[in-house]
Amino acid sequence: MTSLRLWRATTLALSAVLLLVPQAAGAPAPADPLTDRAAAVPAATPDRPSYDVALRADDDGSRWTGRQTVSFRNAARTPLRSVDVRLWGNGTDGCGSPGSPSPVRVSGVSGGTPRPLTVGCTALRIDLPAPLPHGARASVSFDVAITVPDRVHRFGKDGAYRYLGNALPLLSVRDAQGRHLDPDVGFGESFHTLAGDFRIVLDHPSALVVPATGTTTRRAGAPGRTVSTSVARGVRDFAWAAGPFASKAVTTPGGVRLNAYWTATTSPEGVAVDLRDAVGSVDEFGRRFGRYPYGELDLVMSDNLDDFGSMEFPGLVLLWTEPEGSAVVHEIAHQWFYGIVGNDQFASPWLDESFAQYANERYYRLDTTTCWDDQGMWPSDTAALTRSMGYYADGRRSEYVRVVYRRGSCALHDLERTLGGPAMAALLRGYVRDHWLGVATTADFKRAAQAVTSEDLGPFWTEHRIG
């Protein structure tokens, strides 16, 4: 996520200064604590989720109601006795009040027994009727009621336009660290999900244009209504918008379809700049990191998101657009770093934000030769690139942008100078390939970097506080 204000500050600040060796046959491999620990980590579960959702909108897209079914597999060696569903749309409003209920509500659960909501009404634990063995599949279903909050936000309203980012309930993750039930801290992201398949059927007034994650087909519904069916495979989340958007579709030279949607007050110049940079960046990142796998990408643009900014979702980016440019390239880079290569965004925000900002600066060919040195002192003795969102939420929000965006991206530029351009390119392409639609950790990235050089990178990690 990047607000344009944040993106400009980062970009201007920077532009101003701007194969492991094989063992001999029969020889025992040396102990590698990182590799040994990775091999012992239990698989993240429940995995291979499949979401089947049907929702009906009211007259202006402010309220959506329907039924959701999610099936999943138990990847863990131990039986799975319950699953956690995250209602991230409640992150800002929490449990609401009698006169103002939570924006996302779940009821009528089948396939398990629901417990009371926890973590500010963002976590719903559902006990399964019987322990689910390793490798077996099960499903749960529930009614969903989504009321779009009256605020300009990634889950909110913008005049006649509705944005439904982080509105759809998603399965949480369990792994070696246990149940991931981290809170929404009010800035950045706290999300951690596994890639899955989505089939979302949205029944809405025909006057509403509905951009959405995935490939969408439309058919006539009841009089005055349209049924839009969106299918997305191998994505971590699903987002959509609704409103009287203008639209235009272009296809990049690399074959990616870009669907642009914009509000009535968004400037033509802003739309043109975003489309130009989107066309260039999605193809360049495809060559650099691996081809964009989803076929098409929706750009939802507004000139009225200045208090919020921009936000990435798989196959859809929400953009605050102005004639002088937006964060479109940074958000498109997130299609690879968070989307294709997943990470626990609460525990390791640098693994997507720093990487997306690095890719953004590489795309614009900014002079980052001295950016690490020019960042000056760390903001505190405890600051480090590998700090969690919990650290920043604990009275250190001012460190977040300076460390995660600025120092993080500069550390990657510095690593490129250390390894050399060709080795850095090979590192990132291999890192993406090896974690394609999976979840990567800092330890994974450090191993990948060390594998492309004979130089000991230990001092580099220490200097850059990458623990």
Side-chain angles (χ1 to χ4, degrees):
M1 180 276 293
T2 303
S3 70
L4 185 54
R5 187 181 302 109
L6 180 157
W7 177 81
R8 281 180 182 157
T10 304
T11 300
L12 291 174
L14 290 171
S15 60
V17 300
L18 314 150
L19 323 170
L20 295 170
V21 179
Q23 299 295 310
D32 182 345
L34 290 177
T35 301
D36 293 345
R37 184 167 65 251
V41 170
T45 198
D47 73 346
R48 303 184 187 178
S50 179
Y51 297 85
D52 197 340
V53 185
L55 298 173
R56 178 182 173 87
D58 65 0
D59 290 345
D60 68 355
S62 293
R63 181 172 167 80
W64 301 74
T65 56
R67 187 80 175 165
Q68 175 170 338
T69 297
V70 54
S71 67
F72 48 86
R73 186 190 74 145
N74 178 19
R77 291 293 174 182
T78 56
L80 185 65
R81 300 178 184 276
S82 64
V83 295
D84 297 298
V85 177
R86 297 309 303 264
L87 283 58
W88 286 113
N90 294 339
T92 298
D93 300 279
C95 298
S97 62
S100 180
S102 298
V104 181
R105 287 176 289 158
V106 166
S107 60
V109 175
S110 63
T113 303
R115 295 194 184 189
L117 290 167
T118 60
V119 197
C121 287
T122 67
L124 173 66
R125 186 172 181 177
I126 301 175
D127 292 327
L128 301 179
L132 187 66
H134 168 71
R137 291 192 70 87
S139 66
V140 295
S141 300
F142 41 82
D143 294 329
V144 182
I146 299 172
T147 301
V148 181
D150 190 13
R151 59 172 175 266
V152 178
H153 193 260
R154 61 195 181 201
F155 179 34
K157 297 179 180 179
D158 171 16
Y161 305 91
R162 311 290 180 253
Y163 306 121
L164 290 105
N166 308 121
L168 197 69
L170 299 174
L171 283 180
S172 187
V173 179
R174 301 182 187 194
D175 56 20
Q177 285 72 47
R179 299 163 63 203
H180 286 266
L181 298 178
D182 298 307
D184 182 341
V185 301
F187 62 97
E189 288 82 47
S190 296
F191 315 128
H192 182 26
T193 57
L194 302 182
D197 299 334
F198 291 75
R199 182 180 182 272
I200 313 296
V201 179
L202 302 175
D203 181 333
H204 57 87
S206 298
L208 299 180
V209 178
V210 180
T213 294
T215 300
T216 301
T217 57
R218 299 173 177 86
R219 62 174 176 83
R225 298 186 70 87
T226 296
V227 177
S228 298
T229 300
S230 298
V231 176
R233 302 194 184 281
V235 297
R236 301 178 192 281
D237 199 350
F238 184 94
W240 72 101
F245 294 101
S247 64
K248 175 183 180 179
V250 300
T251 300
T252 73
V256 179
R257 179 183 172 92
L258 297 178
N259 303 311
Y261 303 87
W262 61 92
T263 67
T265 57
T266 302
S267 71
E269 295 84 2
V271 172
V273 169
D274 274 4
L275 266 176
R276 180 198 66 200
D277 288 349
V279 167
S281 60
V282 75
D283 278 355
E284 180 170 319
F285 295 157
R287 291 188 296 269
R288 184 170 296 168
F289 307 130
R291 181 174 173 80
Y292 179 75
Y294 304 124
E296 61 184 75
L297 174 63
D298 288 0
L299 312 175
V300 181
M301 297 175 274
S302 170
D303 62 346
N304 194 36
L305 298 178
D306 51 321
D307 286 338
F308 164 65
S310 301
M311 180 66 193
E312 73 281 356
F313 301 98
L316 183 150
V317 293
L318 178 60
L319 299 166
W320 175 32
T321 299
E322 288 191 334
E324 57 266 39
S326 77
V328 60
V329 173
H330 176 100
E331 305 305 345
I332 287 177
H334 273 304
Q335 298 299 308
W336 281 264
F337 300 107
Y338 147 75
I340 295 170
V341 179
N343 62 292
D344 180 341
Q345 293 183 300
F346 183 90
S348 303
W350 91 285
L351 282 177
D352 58 287
E353 293 297 356
S354 300
F355 283 62
Q357 188 61 20
Y358 163 84
N360 173 83
E361 292 154 4
R362 291 284 276 109
Y363 175 78
Y364 285 114
R365 311 300 193 263
L366 298 183
D367 181 4
T368 59
T369 306
T370 62
C371 74
W372 176 259
D373 294 334
D374 291 341
Q375 284 301 310
M377 299 288 290
W378 288 90
S380 70
D381 291 341
T382 56
L385 284 180
T386 47
R387 292 296 188 185
S388 73
M389 292 304 299
Y391 169 86
Y392 297 112
D394 188 19
R396 302 183 184 89
R397 182 170 177 172
S398 63
E399 294 186 11
Y400 174 68
V401 169
R402 182 172 175 183
V403 173
V404 173
Y405 288 80
R406 298 177 184 170
R407 278 199 168 271
S409 61
C410 283
L412 293 172
H413 290 299
D414 210 23
L415 181 61
E416 181 172 357
R417 287 187 288 275
T418 299
L419 299 177
M424 185 68 170
L427 160 63
L428 290 176
R429 190 170 184 87
Y431 172 70
V432 173
R433 179 196 63 232
D434 292 344
H435 300 283
W436 192 268
L437 300 187
V439 174
T441 65
T442 296
D444 291 326
F445 180 69
K446 290 170 69 175
R447 276 193 299 271
Q450 189 61 72
V452 302
T453 181
S454 59
E455 179 181 346
D456 178 14
L457 292 178
F460 181 92
W461 306 131
T462 298
E463 177 187 355
H464 295 79
R465 298 191 185 181
I466 302 174

